């Protein structure tokens, strides 16, 4: 066990930092905000933490705190600026934001180390401490998926007008989603960089946006558990595919396509589906009722779109 | 705990397989004091190395080249009983697949396996910078090839078997000075650390030394694909020579468009143009001159021997990446011999010892600055089919 | 100055050529195809493989690449996107799945091309690349640059006009607005979608071949960079508007050329993305977009 752990410590840690990054993209989506600013915040958090450690000679956790808060602040301001954008226009604006962060880093002179980036920012991080931080974030996210808050978040996404009519301050929810997404993205960046000890502008790129999105869509994009499943899959897949050798990337692509084809609700959706079937099998005639209840807040016709079924999953334990 | 177990097993095999160790010591003879220690039975029968490099992805050519070079070196080392009869080096190759996480995970796995004596590290600078501190912390010797950026050779356990481009770029500026080509322009990819360093720090320096004037220095990004505008700016300056520090695909486009913009003077590039990367430039690639750490056109000493053996094994000409991989593996073998130990610390001490003395490898007479290799380098010209050596004498 | 404008137009036409097919599929049948970049690359790569063995005249290579593009695109549509659309009844979920499926599909040809080239750039052989250079007034023009401009603008305007004026164009646009009503009115969604994807793929292949001529050589990753630029051009112009794509592509090209001419090269992307950012703040629906935003 400890041998296994020593050999795979990077993947274990990377699973958690990837989860945080995925959550920072997932949260805005859950509120109906198509924002990829979390990836830019990953860059801000990473750079800020590295600069704190190298230039200001701060210790590990204060550096991470600075990175996290700075990224949160940047994201919040960005949210204020672009909150009236919608859909893919918002997506494009946040991708532009992310790519601009990388270009600022290239042109940042001695502060950011230019194209060569920063190195030597090795934080004093243990897997346990990363796990603790990740757990805190996950618990907060899990709470936001249940109870009144969970329902309000769903309402803001599915029907903003209706939510507003019912007294939910929609734009406040959207602004908060930017803030939280920035904080978590920044935290992910700070942790990743202090684990790796180096950061270059080339790492904050469109590919990272793609990775985060793939993680949550394949895992399941309505719940933190989906993000976790996705992170585990994509962090460990290269190792699991070691045996196919040079064609590893091809197999990776095929898996993503198959997931998109056959798992519309992600792996989590599949699990929820099986769970439903198991339960309805036991209880017989109640199937229809249950499906109706599962899709209730998604409006009619959503039954077939399994993604909405999972909406009910995290709350079902109540 | 597992460390002791594995070494115990290793030692056992050595004793069974190594009955004629004394003969081996004689056979490999002539290599100063190291030969004795190799023969005293301390070396295990199998010395395990792990190579972590990109063998797929956008810079696969660098990783694949290094892998081949290493394979040839290991074959030579084992066949010649360089480390003594029955002592074999084996290399397990892992694909870092263009990912920092994968590289650092594979390196960590290799470190966790106490049977692994040393690591041949990734060629991509970002991957190397991420795994260097891991190797340092765990006191595992790692030899990088390429990985020209800062933050790679950072301590006792990190070594690099590639001379950074800026250490031999003086070959190009001296050539220009010798030819009386004084006014030069620079076009470079500023998002690539190596090129940025070369253009912004090294060039002004070298230009000063050789009496050249850099009339313009144009920065582009890694994402720049069309060079119509930057090349027009260069053509307008009518320089005596145009220098460009760009990635392989960018180079082809820049060359073509520079010619189309009306510039017909000499063009100088970087070692990125090596390995046949200029082939797709066709006519436009002919006559491009660049300094490199190794060229298959080299015809002297160990380089010629390496080229001959490489061709015999792979039926192709070696590129600089292969030469680097070859020299890296030989460096480790010499290190084991020099310290008489195949433990991680033994190899580390051996690598430092060999570095202090230097040795002759595929890239010529190799010198070192600390743990960092320095090569004489060679100036070559691409004639459309192959490289040929350019002499700097006017 | 005039030369810079000309160069910006060439660059804009490159972006436009690439973006046209992507915009067509996205604006009409709602397929945001992330495999467009590799369709572009792999068509050129396939043509390169052929050109390496047989010497072909340039027009034939271009046709070959376009056919290859159409083939790849049709395959992706028939095997992947179509069945996602069939299964998912919720258009928003389908859109996201198509996005991810496209990302997955894109990995495959990219890995194959990288494997076969080992990362080296590829072109169409030296015989095919000797471009004629003309000197008109103070301008230096090459045949290829002119071809790129003419084809890019011609196709851009032609496609916009076709969508507006022809019956099929109307059917296509109606699908983009309301698929259900459109099919009630007799538009066959499946075959129209397949046809659209074939055209989009052919445009990608065409762009791949022309760009390989214009740039001398491309690499397996070339499509990825263009994908982001095209995405930006389409959103900037306003989704669903073909005229918008044309404007968006030239807008980005002019901004980038301006930055490069002033030797702020490392800021090129920052300026183009910064401008996009500002533009969206002023006109959240893009330059030519409709005010009601259909997609999320």
């Amino acid at each position: 066990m400890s041998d296994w752990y020593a050999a795979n410590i990077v993947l274990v840690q990377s699973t958690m930092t990837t989860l945080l990054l995925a959550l920072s993209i997932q949260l805005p989506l859950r509120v109906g905000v198509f924002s990829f600013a979390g990836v830019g915040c990953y860059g801000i958090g990473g750079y800020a933490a590295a600069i704190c450690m190298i230039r200001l000679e701060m210790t590990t956790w204060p550096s991470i705190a600075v990175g996290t808060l700075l990224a949160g602040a940047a994201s919040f301001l960005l949210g204020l600026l672009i909150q009236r954008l919608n859909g893919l226009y918002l997506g494009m604006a946040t991708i532009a934001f992310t790519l601009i962060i990388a270009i600022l880093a290239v042109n940042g002179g001695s502060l950011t180390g230019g194209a060569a980036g920063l190195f030597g920012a090795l934080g004093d991080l243990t897997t346990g401490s990363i796990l603790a931080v990740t757990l805190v974030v996950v618990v907060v996210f899990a709470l936001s998926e249940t109870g009144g808050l969970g329902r309000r978040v769903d309402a803001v996404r599915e029907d903003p007008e209706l939510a507003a009519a019912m007294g939910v301050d929609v734009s406040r929810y959207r602004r908060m989603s930017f803030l939280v997404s920035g904080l978590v993205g920044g935290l992910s960046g700070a942790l990743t960089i202090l684990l790796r000890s180096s950061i270059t502008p080339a790492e904050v790129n469109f590919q990272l946006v793609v990775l985060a999105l793939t993680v949550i869509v394949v895992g399941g994009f309505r719940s933190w558990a989906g993000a976790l499943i996705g992170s585990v899959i994509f962090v460990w897949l290269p190792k699991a595919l070691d045996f196919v050798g040079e064609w590893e990337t091809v197999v990776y692509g095929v898996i993503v396509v198959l997931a998109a084809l056959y798992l519309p609700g992600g792996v989590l959706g599949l699990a929820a589906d099986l769970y439903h079937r198991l339960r309805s099998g036991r209880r017989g005639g109640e199937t229809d009722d249950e499906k109706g209840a599962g899709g209730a807040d998604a409006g009619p016709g959503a039954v077939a779109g399994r993604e909405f079924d999972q909406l009910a999953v995290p709350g079902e334990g109540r | 705990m597992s460390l002791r177990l594995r070494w115990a097993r290793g030692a056992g095999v050595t004793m069974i397989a190594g009955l004629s160790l004394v003969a081996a010591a004689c056979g490999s003879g002539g290599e100063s004091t190291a030969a004795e220690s190799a023969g005293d039975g301390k070396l295990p029968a199998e010395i395990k190395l792990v190579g972590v490099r990109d063998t797929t992805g956008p810079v696969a050519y660098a990783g694949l080249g290094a892998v081949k070079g290493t394979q040839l070196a290991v074959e030579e080392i084992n066949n010649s009983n360089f480390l003594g009869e029955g002592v074999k080096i084996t290399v397990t190759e892992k694909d870092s697949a263009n990912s920092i996480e994968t590289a650092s995970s594979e390196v960590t796995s290799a470190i966790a396996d106490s049977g692994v004596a040393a690591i041949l590290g990734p060629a991509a600078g970002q991957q190397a910078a991420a795994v260097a501190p891991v190797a340092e912390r765990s006191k595992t010797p790692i030899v990088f090839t390429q990985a020209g950026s800062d933050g790679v050779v950072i301590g006792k356990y990190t070594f690099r078997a590639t001379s950074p481009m800026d250490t031999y770029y003086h070959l190009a500026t001296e050539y220009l000075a010798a030819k009386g080509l004084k006014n030069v322009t620079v076009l470079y990819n500023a998002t690539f650390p190596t090129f940025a360093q070369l253009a912004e720090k090294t060039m002004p320096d070298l230009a000063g030394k050789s009496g050249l004037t850099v009339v313009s220095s144009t920065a582009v990004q890694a994402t720049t694909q069309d060079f119509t505008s930057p090349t027009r700016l260069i053509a307008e300056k009518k320089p005596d020579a145009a220098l460009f520090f760009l990635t392989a695909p960018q180079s082809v486009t820049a060359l073509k468009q520079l010619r189309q913009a009306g510039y017909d003077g000499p063009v100088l590039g970087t070692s990125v143009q090596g390995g046949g990367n200029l082939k797709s430039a066709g006519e436009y690639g002919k006559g491009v001159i660049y300094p490199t750490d190794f060229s298959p056109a080299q015809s002297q000493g160990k380089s010629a021997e390496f080229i001959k053996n490489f061709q015999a094994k792979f039926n192709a000409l070696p590129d600089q990446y292969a030469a680097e991989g070859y020299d890296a593996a030989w460096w480790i073998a010499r290190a084991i011999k020099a310290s008489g130990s195949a433990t991680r610390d033994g190899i580390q001490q051996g690598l430092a010892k060999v570095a202090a003395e230097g040795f002759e490898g595929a890239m010529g007479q190799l010198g070192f600055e600390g743990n960092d290799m320095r090569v004489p380098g060679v100036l070559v010209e691409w004639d459309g089919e192959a490289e040929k050596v350019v002499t700097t004498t006017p | 100055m005039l030369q810079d404008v000309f160069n910006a137009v060439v660059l804009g036409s490159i972006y436009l050529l690439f973006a046209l097919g992507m915009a067509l599929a996205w604006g009409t049948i709602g397929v945001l195809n992330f495999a467009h970049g590799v369709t572009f690359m792999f068509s050129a790569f396939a043509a390169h493989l052929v050109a390496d063995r047989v010497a072909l005249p340039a027009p034939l290579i271009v046709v070959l690449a376009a056919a290859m593009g159409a083939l790849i695109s049709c395959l992706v549509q028939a095997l992947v996107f179509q069945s996602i659309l069939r299964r998912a009844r919720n258009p928003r979920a389908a859109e996201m799945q198509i996005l991810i499926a496209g990302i997955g599909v894109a990995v495959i040809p990219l890995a194959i091309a990288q494997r076969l080239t080992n990362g080296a750039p590829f072109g169409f052989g030296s015989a095919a690349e000797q471009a004629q250079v003309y000197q008109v007034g103070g301008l230096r023009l090459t045949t290829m640059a002119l071809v790129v401009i003419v084809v890019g603008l011609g196709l851009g305007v032609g496609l916009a006009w076709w969508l507006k004026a022809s019956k099929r164009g109307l059917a296509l646009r109606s699908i983009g607005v309301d698929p259900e009503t459109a099919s009630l009115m007799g538009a066959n969604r499946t075959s129209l979608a397949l046809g659209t994807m074939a055209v989009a793929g052919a445009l990608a292949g065409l762009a791949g071949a022309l760009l390989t001529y214009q740039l001398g050589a491309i690499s397996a990753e070339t499509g990825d960079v263009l994908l982001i630029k095209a995405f930006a051009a389409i959103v900037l112009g306003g989704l669903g508007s073909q005229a918008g794509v044309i404007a968006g592509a030239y807008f980005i090209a002019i901004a980038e050329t301006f930055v490069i001419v002033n030797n702020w090269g490392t800021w090129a992307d920052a300026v183009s993305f910064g401008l996009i950012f500002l533009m969206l703040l002023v006109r959240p629906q893009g330059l030519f977009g409709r005010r009601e935003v259909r997609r999320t």
Side-chain angles (χ1 to χ4, degrees):
Chain A
M1 180 63 199
S2 75
D3 267 3
W4 178 89
Y5 172 70
N8 294 292
I9 182 165
V10 173
L11 295 181
V12 172
Q13 292 168 341
S14 166
T15 308
M16 290 186 281
T17 53
T18 307
L19 169 63
L20 291 175
L21 180 67
L23 287 176
S24 85
I25 299 295
Q26 188 189 42
L27 180 83
L29 280 178
R30 271 180 52 222
V31 188
V33 175
F34 210 65
S35 162
F36 299 111
V39 177
C41 294
Y42 169 95
I44 296 178
Y47 263 103
I51 289 169
C52 283
M53 281 205 75
I54 298 170
R55 305 265 186 265
L56 307 176
E57 292 176 359
M58 289 163 63
T59 50
T60 305
W61 288 102
S63 299
I64 293 174
V66 170
T68 308
L69 293 175
L70 210 60
S75 181
F76 185 70
L77 292 175
L78 177 75
L80 289 182
L81 201 60
I82 60 175
Q83 57 179 334
R84 72 191 192 104
L85 292 184
N86 254 316
L88 281 167
Y89 297 107
L90 181 64
M92 185 62 230
T94 52
I95 288 176
F97 164 78
T98 297
L99 298 177
I100 289 172
I101 298 291
I103 296 159
L104 286 177
V106 173
N107 293 289
S110 60
L111 183 67
T112 60
L118 295 167
F119 51 87
L122 191 57
D124 183 19
L125 287 168
T126 60
T127 306
S129 58
I130 300 169
L131 181 65
V133 174
T134 311
L135 272 179
V136 171
V137 174
V138 165
V139 166
V140 171
F141 271 67
L143 286 176
S144 80
E145 287 167 14
T146 57
L149 181 59
R151 281 197 296 277
R152 283 196 295 278
V153 166
D154 292 343
V156 168
R157 175 188 67 246
E158 292 303 331
D159 197 336
E161 284 87 16
L162 182 69
M166 286 164 65
V168 179
D169 185 349
V170 172
S171 62
R172 188 170 143 256
Y173 274 79
R174 294 184 152 217
R175 285 199 304 273
M176 291 314 281
S177 82
F178 271 97
L179 174 65
V180 178
S181 155
L183 288 171
V184 177
L187 177 64
S188 165
L191 288 173
T192 308
I193 297 317
L194 297 194
L195 277 170
R196 269 185 206 164
S197 86
S198 62
I199 182 168
T200 61
E203 285 157 44
V204 188
N205 58 14
F206 191 60
Q207 288 308 313
L208 205 57
V209 174
V210 168
L211 172 75
L213 196 60
T214 316
V215 162
I216 48 181
V217 173
V218 172
F221 66 110
R222 292 293 188 236
S223 161
W224 67 269
L228 175 63
I229 294 170
S231 304
V232 170
I233 293 176
F234 286 102
V235 171
W236 293 83
L237 200 58
K239 193 174 182 71
L241 289 179
D242 221 10
F243 68 95
V244 290
E246 64 198 50
W247 298 107
E248 183 185 309
T249 1
V250 175
V251 179
Y252 174 98
V254 171
I255 290 176
V256 173
V257 173
L258 290 179
L261 260 177
Y262 297 105
L263 303 174
V267 175
L268 186 69
L270 180 74
D273 220 29
L274 290 175
Y275 177 71
H276 273 290
R277 244 180 250 169
L278 215 65
R279 267 213 340 197
S280 50
R282 241 183 260 146
R283 284 203 253 150
E286 288 175 39
T287 328
D288 288 347
D289 278 359
E290 209 172 55
K291 278 200 173 163
D297 50 358
V303 181
R306 283 278 169 250
E307 52 151 343
F308 292 105
D309 271 313
Q310 331 150 29
L311 279 179
V313 173
E316 257 179 10
R318 279 175 293 138
Chain B
M1 188 187 76
S2 79
L3 183 134
R4 214 179 307 142
L5 260 176
R6 279 174 199 274
W7 280 116
R9 186 156 18 102
V13 178
T14 314
M15 284 211 269
I16 298 159
L19 283 172
S20 49
L21 272 179
V22 186
C26 300
S28 62
E31 290 286 337
S32 74
T33 53
E36 297 144 29
S37 33
D40 66 8
K42 271 190 200 156
L43 291 182
E46 186 192 8
I47 299 169
K48 275 166 68 179
L49 308 181
V50 170
V52 179
R53 3 202 193 199
D54 282 4
T55 50
T56 57
V59 290
Y61 55 88
L64 288 168
V67 168
K68 282 185 183 161
T70 302
Q71 280 171 357
L72 177 63
V74 167
E75 196 180 280
E76 288 175 10
I77 293 160
N78 290 345
N79 288 349
S80 67
N81 288 326
F82 180 77
L83 295 172
E85 189 81 28
V87 180
K88 301 279 180 238
I89 290 182
T90 57
V91 183
T92 313
E93 293 292 345
K94 299 280 184 186
D95 180 12
S96 42
N98 192 30
S99 146
I100 299 175
E101 296 301 331
T102 310
S104 100
S105 165
E106 292 291 4
V107 166
T108 312
S109 297
I111 288 170
D113 178 353
S114 50
V116 174
I119 298 169
L120 291 149
Q126 289 152 19
Q127 293 174 19
V131 303
V134 181
E136 283 293 339
R137 232 181 321 171
S138 62
K139 298 193 189 323
T140 310
I142 182 164
V143 181
F144 298 99
T145 50
Q146 289 289 307
S149 47
D150 289 336
V152 174
V153 179
I154 51 170
K156 268 172 73 181
Y157 290 86
T158 42
F159 301 84
R160 179 162 49 198
T162 298
S163 192
M165 233 178 243
D166 49 4
T167 59
Y168 55 83
Y169 209 80
H170 63 90
L171 292 174
T173 50
E174 282 161 14
Y175 167 83
L176 290 170
K179 291 270 174 193
L181 304 166
K182 289 222 178 310
N183 293 332
V184 301
T185 54
V186 174
L187 173 64
Y188 69 104
N189 177 336
T191 343
F192 264 56
T194 317
F195 297 139
Q197 160 109 5
L198 195 57
E200 288 158 15
K201 299 211 180 83
T202 318
M203 257 320 279
D205 226 36
L206 291 175
K209 275 185 199 151
S210 300
L212 308 176
T213 316
V214 179
V215 288
S216 80
S217 186
T218 313
V220 297
Q221 293 179 298
T223 52
T224 306
Q225 289 174 330
D226 185 81
F227 289 83
T228 325
S229 293
T231 50
R232 178 188 69 77
L233 294 175
I234 290 170
E236 257 173 23
K237 300 268 181 203
K238 298 198 188 338
D240 296 333
L243 277 61
F244 64 97
F245 314 147
L246 299 170
T247 61
Q250 284 182 325
S251 305
V252 174
T253 307
L255 268 172
K256 175 176 173 146
Q257 297 184 334
L258 188 60
R259 294 302 188 206
Q260 288 179 348
Y263 174 76
D264 47 15
V267 176
L268 281 85
T270 64
S271 61
V272 169
Q273 268 69 58
N277 274 340
L278 268 180
K279 247 184 210 134
S280 51
E283 284 295 315
Y284 298 108
K286 282 185 189 166
V288 175
I289 293 171
Y290 50 91
T292 175
D293 53 359
F294 168 82
S295 164
Q298 277 168 296
S299 55
Q300 276 151 16
K302 203 91 173 104
S303 309
E305 197 180 305
F306 163 69
I307 294 162
K308 196 184 82 206
N309 294 341
F310 191 92
Q311 264 186 307
K313 185 169 166 69
F314 296 106
N315 199 22
L317 279 174
D319 50 23
Q320 75 255 39
Y321 311 106
E324 291 158 8
Y326 178 85
D327 284 346
W330 266 107
W331 187 5
I332 294 177
R334 283 168 189 274
I336 295 169
K337 196 162 186 170
S339 68
S341 157
T343 62
R344 289 177 179 178
D345 273 315
I347 292 179
Q348 185 274 327
Q349 285 156 15
L351 285 168
K353 209 165 169 184
V354 173
E357 290 164 8
F359 67 96
E360 197 191 358
M363 293 182 282
Q365 188 55 46
L366 307 172
F368 290 86
E369 205 163 282
N371 290 351
D372 213 358
M373 193 180 277
R374 293 291 180 266
V375 299
V378 52
L379 194 66
V380 296
E381 181 179 342
W382 179 257
D383 69 0
E385 292 296 324
E387 289 173 355
K388 60 178 204 259
V389 176
V390 176
T391 42
T392 23
T393 42
Chain C
M1 181 60 202
L2 195 59
Q3 184 76 52
D4 292 329
V5 172
F6 177 77
N7 291 348
V9 172
V10 176
L11 186 64
S13 305
I14 291 176
Y15 291 159
L16 179 61
L17 262 177
F18 182 89
L20 272 179
M22 201 171 153
L24 178 71
W26 193 6
T28 57
I29 55 172
V31 168
L32 173 51
N33 184 7
F34 260 68
H36 193 76
V38 295
T39 309
F40 158 93
M41 179 277 295
F42 209 76
S43 311
F45 181 64
H48 151 81
L49 290 180
V50 175
D52 243 14
R53 282 160 187 78
V54 213
L56 292 177
L60 212 57
I61 289 186
V62 175
V63 170
L64 191 74
M68 188 69 192
L71 178 71
I72 297 174
S73 198
C74 281
L75 278 177
V76 174
Q77 172 70 10
L79 295 178
V80 184
F81 295 165
Q82 200 78 70
S83 74
I84 290 178
L85 284 168
R86 204 172 44 232
R87 262 171 249 255
R89 266 184 229 162
N90 181 302
R92 268 170 50 181
E95 214 159 53
M96 190 62 101
Q97 275 169 263
I98 285 177
L99 193 80
I100 296 298
I103 290 169
V105 167
V107 168
I108 300 167
L110 179 67
I112 295 173
Q114 280 177 338
R115 187 74 208 151
L116 296 177
T117 60
N118 284 333
F122 54 85
F124 295 144
S126 48
E129 68 180 14
Q130 295 307 324
Q132 207 71 42
V133 180
Y134 304 101
Q135 195 91 33
V136 183
L139 269 184
R140 283 185 78 86
L141 317 170
T142 65
T143 3
M144 212 52 228
L146 289 175
V147 170
V148 166
I149 294 177
V150 170
V151 175
L153 261 180
L155 282 174
V157 174
L159 210 59
W161 176 81
W162 181 79
L163 276 173
K164 267 229 147 61
S166 77
K167 210 166 169 196
R168 280 199 173 215
L170 178 69
L172 259 180
R173 280 186 296 135
S174 69
I175 281 185
V177 178
D178 186 345
E180 251 124 84
T181 319
S183 54
L184 286 176
M185 307 283 285
N188 182 341
R189 195 173 175 193
T190 313
S191 68
L192 264 178
L194 196 64
T196 306
M197 286 301 283
V199 174
L203 285 170
L206 179 77
L210 288 184
L211 273 204
T212 309
Y213 277 117
Q214 164 70 9
L215 300 180
I218 63 169
S219 69
E221 300 83 31
T222 301
D224 292 354
V225 177
L226 285 169
L227 195 71
I228 308 175
K229 297 268 162 86
F231 189 50
I234 296 169
V235 176
L236 188 63
L239 185 52
S241 158
Q242 287 288 320
V245 184
I246 302 175
Y250 288 112
F251 185 89
I252 294 175
I254 290 167
E256 282 183 4
T257 306
F258 177 75
V259 173
I260 287 177
V261 168
N262 285 292
N263 205 7
W264 308 319
T266 47
W267 290 97
D269 283 355
V271 169
S272 51
F273 288 120
L275 282 173
I276 288 163
F277 196 87
L278 290 177
M279 168 70 73
L280 287 173
L281 286 183
V282 182
R283 275 187 72 83
Q285 71 279 24
L287 279 170
F288 290 78
R290 295 182 293 262
R291 189 156 273 284
E292 69 275 37
V293 177
R294 193 166 44 83
R295 308 185 189 289
T296 312

